[in-house]
Amino acid sequence: MASMSDIFKSFMLRELFGGMAVTGRALFAPKATVRYPEEKTPRSPRFRGLHALRRNPDGTERCVGCKLCEATCPAMAITIEIAPDENGKRRTTRYDIDMRKCIFCGFCAEACPVDAIVETRFYEYCVERPGDLVWTKDILLENGALREEEIVRDRECDGECA
Amino acid sequence: MIALGKLHEFGHGVFGAFWPSVFIVVSTLIKIACIVAPLMLSVAYLTLLERKTIGGMQARLGPNRVGPFGLAQPLADGLKLLFKEIVIPSGADKAVFLAAPIFSIAPALAAWAVIPFDEGIVLADVNAALLYLMAVTSIGVYGVILAGWSSNSRYAFLGGMRSAAQLISYEIAMGLALIVVLMVSNSLSLGEIVKSQARGVFAQAGFSVFSWNWLSLFPVFVVYMVSIVAETNRAPFDMAEGESEIIGFHLEYSGLAFALFYMAEYASMILCATLAAILFLGGWLSPFSCFPNGFHWLFAKVFVILVFFFWIRATFPRYRYDQVMRLGWKVFIPVVLVWMAVVAAWMMSPLSVWK
């Protein structure tokens, strides 16, 4: 008798309809899709995107040209040249990050003693030629100026808010 | 009617004695266009409906970039395929290679000649419509086997063999299911088959939905529904395509030639769904006698069956090939044969519900 009821069950496709109930419910459940250009996924304050060089409130560059970031960079993406400025202070004359090499590990920002190089939440950049991916000091400073508020806020709430 | 009379007058003036035959040819061509054009449009939008439905069942949205709600997606797909080169492999049998897609899609279109959309609305009211359908739809297997053979590729050849064997196996179960239907409706004409479903105890009580063939022939209905999924090469029986592991007969096809195979698959899907609606779900009959009959009922039933197809595809993993064969030969054919004998005995007994 057990085998008869097994045959009946398999002929009524019971298990198959059980599976279809799962997909049927999914049809009316909320969708996981993020419609990217219009919607974006939330990013953490620790998000590691495009780098930025920061300035002090008085407008001078934070970077003291210690080259710790250059030394710690595992991908050797950072190139720094230094020279004393008119006040005799140690300043960078060149600060290039080669984005073709960068692995966004964040070690440069961690190594920096004065929080001059940071990684921002900005990640939507693209170029037409690979060579354009070498970000120079001007661009990095501009990115810093553009996002200073966000950078400050992210650093303040780091570890506390998401 | 006056306009028609004037048309005849004008036609006699131009064509003289040839007018009656010219009139028949032209009016038939217009009728064919009236069937094929909406059919092709449905094929295009069926792909969108499928992608949307399956997307929804996989917790994503499906195409929504081209036009509002992705409504221009089929046009974009068609345009893309139109502009692609049809690559003919070296060593391929060129004539057969190019004829195979036509063998594939022509039966799926030709079969529509005998499909009744409503009482009397049918292109050719053949009294052996069911035989015609079985004959025409089985030509589709030539498209598969010729495509596989003419491609001069081992993979396409093996795929063609596999698909042909599958199609032939399930055609037997499907044909036997059709025989049971024509036994109980006592006719080979699709219109008569639909009308015979309006008779019965339940139909007299106003619930014609229970008088349709699906209930009295339930095992046959199940076998038929699964067989048409296998017959149209749809998941979970899509050995023909098997894009993720095994490769099918249309491996070497590209551009519009591939699009023809694709359209053939969807056209035969609509055809098989329509047949299922006509044979088992009462065609244009309304389920309850409080609503009027009409072709919209046929379309609604076809739509439900098609969504069911997508639902199956989104749910089940692909069958292994030996399992497909086992199901066809060792389960479906015996079940239908047994049920055929049961129905035959039932019809002869005093308990018959088909008098």
Side-chain angles (χ1 to χ4, degrees):
Chain A
M1 250 358 247
S3 68
M4 272 312 281
S5 82
D6 279 352
I7 289 173
F8 185 72
K9 272 181 197 165
S10 77
F11 212 83
M12 297 298 283
L13 313 174
R14 253 185 59 177
E15 287 171 3
L16 298 188
F17 280 112
M20 288 176 78
V22 174
T23 43
R25 273 197 299 275
L27 183 60
F28 300 102
K31 304 289 175 273
T33 309
V34 178
R35 275 158 277 191
Y36 164 63
E38 294 98 45
E39 293 174 15
K40 282 167 193 172
T41 47
R43 273 157 285 157
S44 137
R46 292 186 174 187
F47 188 88
R48 300 198 295 257
L50 181 64
H51 300 73
L53 278 172
R54 296 174 68 194
R55 286 178 189 274
N56 287 317
D58 61 5
T60 55
E61 290 169 32
R62 276 198 184 218
C63 181
V64 290
C66 70
K67 288 199 176 189
L68 274 177
C69 47
E70 189 184 32
T72 197
C73 181
M76 293 196 275
I78 305 180
T79 316
I80 297 175
E81 279 166 16
I82 48 163
D85 68 356
E86 61 269 25
N87 301 329
K89 278 191 174 173
R90 189 183 159 98
R91 285 285 174 249
T92 54
T93 53
R94 177 181 174 198
Y95 193 110
D96 288 355
I97 301 184
D98 188 343
M99 284 299 169
R100 293 170 299 183
K101 293 179 181 172
C102 180
I103 58 169
F104 299 94
C105 62
F107 284 1
C108 48
E110 241 174 81
C112 187
V114 292
D115 266 359
I117 181 85
V118 291
E119 283 186 290
T120 63
R121 297 184 181 205
F122 183 65
Y123 59 92
E124 289 153 316
Y125 55 91
C126 56
V127 294
E128 286 175 356
R129 283 159 303 181
D132 294 347
L133 277 171
V134 181
W135 267 200
T136 58
K137 188 179 168 183
D138 299 336
I139 304 172
L140 294 170
L141 275 171
E142 199 179 319
N143 188 30
L146 218 62
R147 288 165 221 289
E148 180 62 25
E149 263 178 60
E150 191 184 82
I151 293 168
V152 172
R153 214 171 340 111
D154 284 353
R155 246 122 287 268
E156 269 170 7
C157 71
D158 185 22
E160 283 148 37
C161 55
Chain B
M1 280 298 109
I2 299 162
L4 205 62
K6 276 194 177 150
L7 183 70
H8 281 304
E9 229 171 73
F10 173 74
H12 272 295
V14 178
F15 295 102
F18 295 108
W19 171 243
S21 42
V22 170
F23 178 73
I24 286 175
V25 169
V26 171
S27 63
T28 310
L29 283 177
I30 291 170
K31 282 181 199 163
I32 290 174
C34 288
I35 293 174
V36 171
L39 179 68
M40 281 310 175
L41 205 66
S42 328
V43 165
Y45 276 89
L46 198 61
T47 61
L48 181 69
L49 179 71
E50 168 168 38
R51 293 172 67 182
K52 282 272 183 194
T53 317
I54 292 180
M57 287 173 177
Q58 293 168 346
R60 55 192 177 81
L61 292 169
N64 63 351
R65 290 286 123 182
V66 193
F69 307 106
L71 281 177
Q73 184 73 44
L75 303 178
D77 288 342
L79 214 61
K80 185 201 89 172
L81 285 166
L82 195 67
F83 284 115
K84 288 220 163 187
E85 184 188 358
I86 300 177
V87 182
I88 299 176
S90 63
D93 190 329
K94 203 171 163 182
V96 180
F97 186 79
L98 291 176
I102 300 168
F103 269 103
S104 213
I105 195 164
L109 297 182
W112 283 90
V114 295
I115 301 282
F117 297 96
D118 201 342
E119 176 99 46
I121 302 185
V122 51
L123 179 61
D125 195 4
V126 199
N127 56 8
L130 212 52
L131 276 184
Y132 169 82
L133 273 174
M134 287 164 84
V136 163
T137 49
S138 45
I139 292 172
V141 76
Y142 284 101
V144 171
I145 212 159
L146 289 179
W149 179 78
S150 66
S151 295
N152 192 30
S153 153
R154 289 172 192 81
Y155 300 103
F157 182 63
L158 284 173
M161 286 294 147
R162 204 166 49 222
S163 304
Q166 179 191 336
L167 290 183
I168 291 170
S169 307
Y170 279 86
E171 214 153 74
I172 297 172
M174 214 172 85
L176 288 172
L178 295 185
I179 288 175
V180 180
V181 172
L182 76 90
M183 268 164 63
V184 301
S185 21
N186 218 353
S187 169
L188 277 164
S189 152
L190 293 177
E192 287 301 319
I193 290 175
V194 172
K195 277 180 224 157
S196 77
Q197 295 181 59
R199 293 192 286 268
V201 185
F202 289 112
Q204 274 159 12
F207 298 99
S208 102
V209 60
F210 297 114
S211 277
W212 299 343
N213 284 336
W214 70 270
L215 189 62
S216 51
L217 305 175
F218 190 73
V220 180
F221 176 59
V222 173
V223 169
Y224 186 78
M225 288 305 284
V226 183
S227 294
I228 61 175
V229 177
E231 190 66 20
T232 51
N233 281 324
R234 299 282 306 167
F237 300 100
D238 57 345
M239 294 313 128
E241 199 172 357
E243 68 276 11
S244 54
E245 65 275 337
I246 46 176
I247 312 165
F249 60 91
H250 46 37
L251 164 69
E252 300 289 350
Y253 283 85
S254 57
L256 214 53
F258 175 74
L260 275 185
F261 278 117
Y262 207 72
M263 275 148 62
E265 181 181 328
Y266 282 85
S268 61
M269 253 173 83
I270 303 181
L271 176 71
C272 284
T274 315
L275 271 182
I278 287 174
L279 298 174
F280 291 97
L281 299 175
W284 63 79
L285 301 175
S286 105
F288 303 103
S289 54
C290 47
F291 304 113
N293 296 336
F295 58 88
H296 51 275
W297 286 113
L298 180 65
F299 293 158
K301 287 162 191 171
V302 171
F303 180 80
V304 169
I305 297 171
L306 288 173
V307 170
F308 195 71
F309 269 50
F310 304 148
W311 197 351
I312 288 173
R313 179 174 169 188
T315 308
F316 303 127
R318 188 173 297 129
Y319 256 78
R320 207 174 59 211
Y321 187 65
D322 62 309
Q323 292 170 329
V324 170
M325 281 306 178
R326 180 190 154 273
L327 186 71
W329 287 95
K330 292 167 95 177
V331 180
F332 282 177
I333 293 176
V335 162
V336 189
L337 280 174
V338 166
W339 202 251
M340 200 151 99
V342 169
V343 168
W346 191 1
M347 284 176 73
M348 288 300 144
S349 77
L351 295 172
S352 171
V353 292
W354 296 286
K355 287 270 160 60

